[in-house]
Amino acid sequence: MSILMRAPEECASWEWELDDFAPPGLNSALMTATRMSELLRGHDLLEPHSLEWMWIVYGVGGVGVTTRLSVMGRLDEAELAQRIRRSHPSGFPDAEVGAISVSGRGMWLDAEGKERHESDLLALTVSPDELHLSAEVAVFHDIWGHFDFRGIPHPGIQKRNAPRLAAALHALDALLGTTAEAGDPTYFGHAEGYGIEMPDMIDGRGPDLTDRL
C-alpha cells in the first residue's frame, strides 16, 4: 500500500487546554504553533508548508474571508505575526484571526518499511481566542489503527506507524506541560490514550468504513 485513503473526518484527535502554558491571544498562538510544529517536524510527522485561518468577529462569527500563508518548512512566529497583521481584510476592521491550521507533509512507513510522504498526514490547529488558548492534533488515515478502512487487519503497518505518533503525543504533553484529552469520536474512530481505540470486531475484522470515503 503506497496510496493512502483519507477520511473526511478525523480518526482520532487530541486536545490541550493551555491556559497555564501561555496567555490567550495571537502571539501566544503563534508561539505555540511554532513549538508544536517544530516538535512534530522532528518526529517526521509534519513539515509545514502553509497556515490557514478564517477571520472572525467575536460575538458575530466568520466574515467570509479565509487567508492562507505559505511557509518554508519552519515557522517563525515574529515573521508570521507581521505577515498576518498585513493580511488583515480592510473591509472588516474588527475582524480577528480564528483558529490557525498548520498544513504540510508527513512521513509514514508502508508494510515493507519503506518511507512514504503524504500531505496532511497530521493536522495541527491552534486557537488564538482572546480568552482561551488551546491546541489540537488530529489524524485522518488508517495507518495508525488496528484495521484499514475496509476492516482488514494490518498489524505491520500499525506497528511501524502508531508508536511514532504516540511518541510525538507524549513529547507534546511534556512540551505543553499538560496531558492531552481525547477529542470527540467520529464515524472513523476515537482516540484512546495515545492511539486509536480498538473497534468492535466480527470474525477478526473491523468495520468497513469505505461507504463514507
Side-chain angles (χ1 to χ4, degrees), residues 2 35 53 59-60 63 66 80 83-84 86 100 102 129 142 146 153 168 186-187 198 207:
S2 59
R35 294 187 183 181
W53 65 92
V60 178
V63 300
T66 299
L80 285 173
R83 293 176 68 190
I84 287 173
R86 287 176 176 172
I100 300 170
V102 183
D129 188 286
D142 58 13
H146 304 273
T186 73
Y187 182 76
M198 172 72 86

Side-chain angles (χ1 to χ4, degrees), residues 1-5 11 108-113 121 140-163 188 196-199 201 204-207 209-210 213:
M1 181 180 66
S2 59
I3 298 176
L4 298 183
M5 292 187 289
C11 300
W108 63 283
L109 300 168
D110 66 17
E112 287 73 43
L121 187 68
F140 296 80
H141 299 89
D142 58 13
I143 60 172
W144 318 106
H146 304 273
F147 307 96
D148 67 18
F149 285 137
R150 296 169 296 170
I152 299 173
H154 56 185
I157 288 178
Q158 185 201 19
K159 287 178 182 178
R160 286 184 169 92
N161 293 287
F188 297 94
I196 294 181
E197 183 181 54
M198 172 72 86
M201 292 189 296
R205 296 187 58 160
L209 306 175
T210 56
L213 292 180

Side-chain angles (χ1 to χ4, degrees), residues 78-90:
E79 178 190 10
L80 285 173
Q82 186 178 53
R83 293 176 68 190
I84 287 173
R85 292 188 174 97
R86 287 176 176 172
S87 67
H88 192 286
S90 59

Side-chain angles (χ1 to χ4, degrees), residues 31-45:
M31 177 271 292
T32 302
T34 298
R35 294 187 183 181
M36 292 180 73
S37 66
E38 188 65 21
L39 186 150
L40 292 168
R41 187 176 186 271
H43 286 260
D44 294 320
L45 293 173

Side-chain angles (χ1 to χ4, degrees), residues 24-26 54-63 94-99 127-132:
L26 179 60
M54 293 180 60
W55 292 93
I56 63 173
V57 174
Y58 290 113
V60 178
V63 300
D94 297 330
E96 302 287 344
V97 176
S127 174
D129 188 286
E130 61 183 5
L131 300 176
H132 177 66

